[in-house]
Amino acid sequence: MEYTSIIIPFVGGLGMFIYGMQIMAQGLENAAGNRMKSLLEVLTKNKFFGVLLGAFITAVIQSSSATTVMVVGFVNAGIMNLQQAMGVIMGANVGTTVTGWLVSSVEWAKFLSPSTLAPIAIMIGVIIMLTGKRRSAKDIASIVIGFGLLFVGISTMSSAVAPLKESEAFCNIFVRLGHNPFLGILAGAAVTAIIQSSSASVGILQSLAAAGLVPFSAAIYIIMGQNIGTCVTAILSSMGAKKNAKTAALMHLLFNIIGTVIFSVGAILFLKIANPVWGHGMISQTQISLAHTIFNIATTVLLFPASNLIIKLAKVIGRVEDTEVDDSKVHLDDRMLETPTIAIQSVISEIVRMGHIVADSLKVAKEVLFTQDQEQITFLKEEENKVDRLSAGITEYAIKLSGLQISEREHQAVSHMLQVVSDMERISDYCENISEFAETLVEKKVAFSDVGEGHLKEMMDVCTQSYLYSLEAFESNDKESALRTVEKETEADGLEISLRSKHIKRLTNNQCNTEAGIVFLDTLVCMERISDHARNIAEEVLED
C-alpha cells in the first residue's frame, strides 16, 4: 500500500479542518462580542455561572485549551480566584463537544453532506465577504467560510484514510487499543497533546470512524485520553506564571484525570463484562459525538459537588495558598491576548479599577486642604504612585493589543482606552498637587478665609461630580452620564472665572492672606483642569 498518497491528503485535510475551525471561531467570537463583554461580571458570581460561561466561551472559540489558557491568565493576573477558575474549566470541557456535533451532522442531517454543502457554504461566504460592507457581514462570512472549510477538511481526511480499511495491520492497531484501555487512553492523550486541540483530535477520530476503521471500545478510551491530552497546552502556558496560575492548570489536569479514571472503570466493566460484543462493533461519527458529550457532561455533573476538593488537592500538589491581590499591580496577562475580545474587556475593567482609585484620591483631595492631615497627604502621594504604575502597565498591554490582527472598530476602542488612561493619570497628578498645596499651608502656617474656603468647596464639588459622571459613563458606556459630565465641566469653567475674579477683589481689599491666596488660585486651576480631563473621558464615550 502506498502510504504517501494517504498521509499527504490526510495532513492537508487536517490543516484545512483546523484552519476552517479557527476562521469560524473568529467569526463567532466577533459576532458574540457583546456577550463576551459581560465576562468579568459573570466571573464574580457563583461556580455554576462559571460552568455556563466556560461552555459558552469554548463553544464560541472552538477550543477548550484556549479557554483554559485564558483562565490561567486571569488567575495569574489576580482577577479570578481558583473557585471561579474551577467553574470555567468544567464548563470548557462541555463546550468543546460542539465541534464534534458539527462534524457528525453529515450523518444525522443528510443535507449537510460535505460534497454538496461545503462548496456552497464557501461560495456563499465569499459572496458575503466581497459584497458586505458592515463588520457584521464580514463576521457572518467568516463563520460560513470556516464552516465550509471544516467540512472539506473532514471529508478530505475521511477519503484519504478509506484505503486503510483494507490494511489488516492498521485495523489491528485499533483492535489492540480497544482491548487495552491504557493504550487507548495514552493514544488519545498523545495525539491531542501533539496537535494541542481536542476538537481537532476528535475530528481526526471521526474521519477514521467515517472510513469504518474504529471499534467502539477503542473510540471510548481514545476520547477519554483526549481530555487528558488537552491539558498540556494550559500546563505549558502556566510555566513561568505564579503558583496560583500553575494551580489552575493543575486543577484542569486533575479534573480530567479523575473523570477519566472513573469512567474508564465503568467502560471496562461494560465493554469487557456486560456487553463485549458491542465494543467490537464499528463506531459512527454521531456515536463519537454522543460519547464525547455524555462523558464530558457526566464528568462535570459528577465532580461539580467535589470541585472544592479538587482545588484543595491542586493546592497541596502545587504548594500554594490564597493570597491577597496587590491592587497596585496591573491585573492583565498576555495569555488573554489569544482572544482579543476578552482582552479588550479585561483592559476596560482595569481602567475602571484605576478610575475608582483616582475617584478615592479625588474625594480625599477635596478634604486635605482644609484638614491638612498628614495621613491624607501621604495617602494621596501613595495613590499617585499606584496610579502611575497602573497607567504604565495598562498602556503597555493596550499597545500589545493594538498590534494584534483586530478589527478597525477594536483598534478605535484601544485608542479610546489609551486616551482615557492618560486623562485619569493626569487627574491623579492634580490630586497629588493638591496634597502639596496642603503641605504649603502647613509650612506657611496660613489658612483660607471662610469665604475662600466656601468658594473652593463649591468648585471642588462641581469638578468631583464631573469626574464621577465621566467614570460612570466609561464604566457603563452611558451617553447620558457623559452629557452630564460636559454640563458640569461647562459649569466648572464659568465658576473658575467667577471665583478667580472674586478672589482677586478680596486680595485687593486685603481680605485674605496673600500666600493662602496663591494656593487658592493654584487649586482653582487644578480643579478646572480635572474637569477638563473628565470631559475628555466623556467625549471618548460620546465618540464611540
Side-chain angles (χ1 to χ4, degrees), residues 29 45 47 62 88 183 186 201 204 307 340 345 395 413 417 448 473 488 491 500:
E29 182 186 331
K45 298 179 181 177
K47 201 179 297 177
Q62 297 282 297
V88 179
L183 287 179
L186 186 62
S201 182
I204 292 172
S307 57
Q345 178 56 31
T395 300
M417 287 188 284
F448 302 118
K488 286 295 177 182
E491 183 182 344
R500 178 183 294 274

Side-chain angles (χ1 to χ4, degrees), residues 128-400:
I128 295 172
M129 183 172 288
L130 292 176
T131 58
K133 295 182 179 180
R134 293 186 178 182
R135 179 189 173 188
S136 57
K138 303 291 185 184
D139 294 336
I140 292 171
S142 295
I143 295 169
V144 176
I145 291 172
F147 186 73
L149 288 176
L150 184 148
F151 276 130
V152 171
I154 201 73
S155 179
T156 303
M157 285 193 290
S158 299
S159 299
V161 298
L164 292 174
K165 192 173 183 179
E166 307 301 323
S167 171
E168 186 177 343
F170 191 83
C171 292
N172 284 337
I173 292 174
F174 282 100
V175 172
R176 289 178 186 174
L177 294 179
H179 285 311
N180 191 323
F182 177 76
L183 287 179
I185 292 169
L186 186 62
V191 172
T192 308
I194 290 170
I195 63 176
Q196 295 200 18
S197 171
S198 61
S199 296
S201 182
V202 171
I204 292 172
L205 186 63
Q206 286 178 307
S207 69
L208 294 169
L213 293 167
V214 188
F216 196 95
S217 56
I220 296 300
Y221 301 132
I222 290 171
I223 287 169
M224 293 180 187
Q226 288 168 340
N227 272 34
I228 294 176
T230 195
C231 300
V232 170
T233 308
I235 291 171
L236 291 174
S237 172
S238 70
M239 290 182 178
K242 298 173 186 174
K243 283 189 175 182
N244 259 12
K246 291 179 180 177
T247 303
L250 191 57
M251 282 169 6
H252 186 211
L253 179 62
L254 287 172
F255 176 75
N256 285 338
I257 287 177
I258 293 170
T260 297
V261 170
I262 292 172
F263 285 94
S264 291
V265 172
I268 291 169
L269 293 174
F270 181 77
L271 296 173
K272 287 191 176 295
I273 300 173
N275 196 342
V277 177
W278 195 15
H280 297 153
M282 294 298 149
I283 195 169
S284 68
Q285 291 178 316
T286 302
Q287 287 172 327
I288 287 175
S289 299
L290 187 61
H292 190 215
T293 302
I294 290 173
F295 171 55
N296 282 315
I297 291 178
T299 301
T300 300
V301 171
L302 184 66
L303 296 182
F304 185 85
S307 57
N308 286 335
L309 295 176
I310 296 175
I311 295 171
K312 288 180 181 178
L313 179 59
K315 282 183 179 180
V316 170
I317 296 173
R319 298 178 182 178
V320 66
E321 295 292 336
D322 284 329
T323 56
E324 290 187 8
V325 176
D326 183 355
D327 65 355
S328 69
K329 292 183 179 179
V330 178
H331 300 163
L332 295 168
D333 192 281
D334 287 350
R335 295 165 184 82
M336 289 182 282
L337 294 172
E338 295 291 330
T339 309
T341 303
I342 294 179
I344 287 173
Q345 178 56 31
S346 299
V347 173
I348 291 172
S349 297
E350 275 301 273
I351 295 172
V352 169
R353 187 170 72 86
M354 186 178 94
H356 283 289
I357 292 173
V358 174
D360 291 339
S361 293
L362 191 52
K363 289 174 185 176
V364 173
K366 280 178 61 180
E367 302 173 1
V368 72
L369 280 176
F370 313 115
T371 63
Q372 298 170 16
D373 182 83
Q374 187 57 49
E375 286 186 7
Q376 289 182 323
I377 292 171
T378 302
F379 171 83
L380 289 172
K381 292 181 183 297
E382 290 174 348
E383 293 300 280
E384 160 56 11
N385 289 331
K386 184 186 296 183
V387 169
D388 280 346
R389 290 195 295 273
L390 289 173
S391 174
I394 293 171
T395 300
E396 181 183 354
Y397 191 86
I399 290 172
K400 288 181 184 177

Side-chain angles (χ1 to χ4, degrees), residues 369 372 377 435-448 513-520 522:
L369 280 176
Q372 298 170 16
I377 292 171
S435 73
E436 293 170 352
F437 299 159
E439 286 181 316
T440 299
L441 294 176
V442 172
E443 290 173 6
K444 303 291 185 180
K445 295 181 180 180
V446 294
F448 302 118
N513 182 278
T514 303
E515 290 177 328
I518 294 172
V519 172
F520 180 96
D522 287 342

Side-chain angles (χ1 to χ4, degrees), residues 401-457:
L401 185 53
S402 66
L404 301 176
Q405 290 185 342
I406 56 178
S407 68
E408 182 61 32
R409 184 177 178 82
E410 287 170 332
H411 272 294
Q412 289 176 355
V414 173
S415 177
H416 288 320
M417 287 188 284
L418 286 169
Q419 184 58 52
V420 170
V421 168
S422 175
D423 285 312
M424 286 181 175
E425 195 277 329
R426 291 298 295 137
I427 291 172
S428 179
D429 285 341
Y430 288 124
C431 289
E432 184 185 34
N433 289 347
I434 291 171
S435 73
E436 293 170 352
F437 299 159
E439 286 181 316
T440 299
L441 294 176
V442 172
E443 290 173 6
K444 303 291 185 180
K445 295 181 180 180
V446 294
F448 302 118
S449 65
D450 291 341
V451 174
E453 183 173 322
H455 285 170
L456 267 187
K457 287 181 178 179

Side-chain angles (χ1 to χ4, degrees), residues 5-181:
S5 62
I6 295 174
I7 294 172
I8 293 176
F10 180 83
V11 171
L14 176 61
M16 199 175 300
F17 176 85
I18 293 173
Y19 182 58
M21 194 166 59
Q22 288 182 339
I23 291 176
M24 186 172 64
Q26 186 61 55
L28 284 166
E29 182 186 331
N30 292 337
N34 291 334
R35 292 183 184 179
M36 302 273 269
K37 286 180 180 179
S38 63
L39 172 69
L40 296 181
E41 295 176 7
V42 176
L43 290 178
T44 61
K45 298 179 181 177
N46 62 40
K47 201 179 297 177
F48 177 71
F49 283 111
V51 173
L52 296 179
L53 178 69
F56 170 71
I57 296 296
T58 305
V60 169
I61 64 177
Q62 297 282 297
S63 173
S64 60
S65 297
T67 301
T68 310
V69 166
M70 281 191 293
V71 168
V72 170
F74 282 131
V75 173
N76 193 53
I79 58 177
M80 186 193 292
N81 60 40
L82 294 176
Q83 282 71 27
Q84 292 166 334
M86 190 72 226
V88 179
I89 286 169
M90 289 188 288
N93 277 18
V94 176
T96 195
T97 62
V98 171
T99 307
W101 282 109
L102 285 174
V103 172
S104 66
S105 63
V106 298
E107 290 183 344
W108 48 266
K110 296 298 183 182
F111 66 91
L112 294 178
S113 172
S115 60
T116 56
L117 184 66
I120 295 172
I122 293 172
M123 193 63 223
I124 291 173
V126 170
I127 291 171
I128 295 172
M129 183 172 288
L130 292 176
T131 58
K133 295 182 179 180
R134 293 186 178 182
R135 179 189 173 188
S136 57
K138 303 291 185 184
D139 294 336
I140 292 171
S142 295
I143 295 169
V144 176
I145 291 172
F147 186 73
L149 288 176
L150 184 148
F151 276 130
V152 171
I154 201 73
S155 179
T156 303
M157 285 193 290
S158 299
S159 299
V161 298
L164 292 174
K165 192 173 183 179
E166 307 301 323
S167 171
E168 186 177 343
F170 191 83
C171 292
N172 284 337
I173 292 174
F174 282 100
V175 172
R176 289 178 186 174
L177 294 179
H179 285 311
N180 191 323

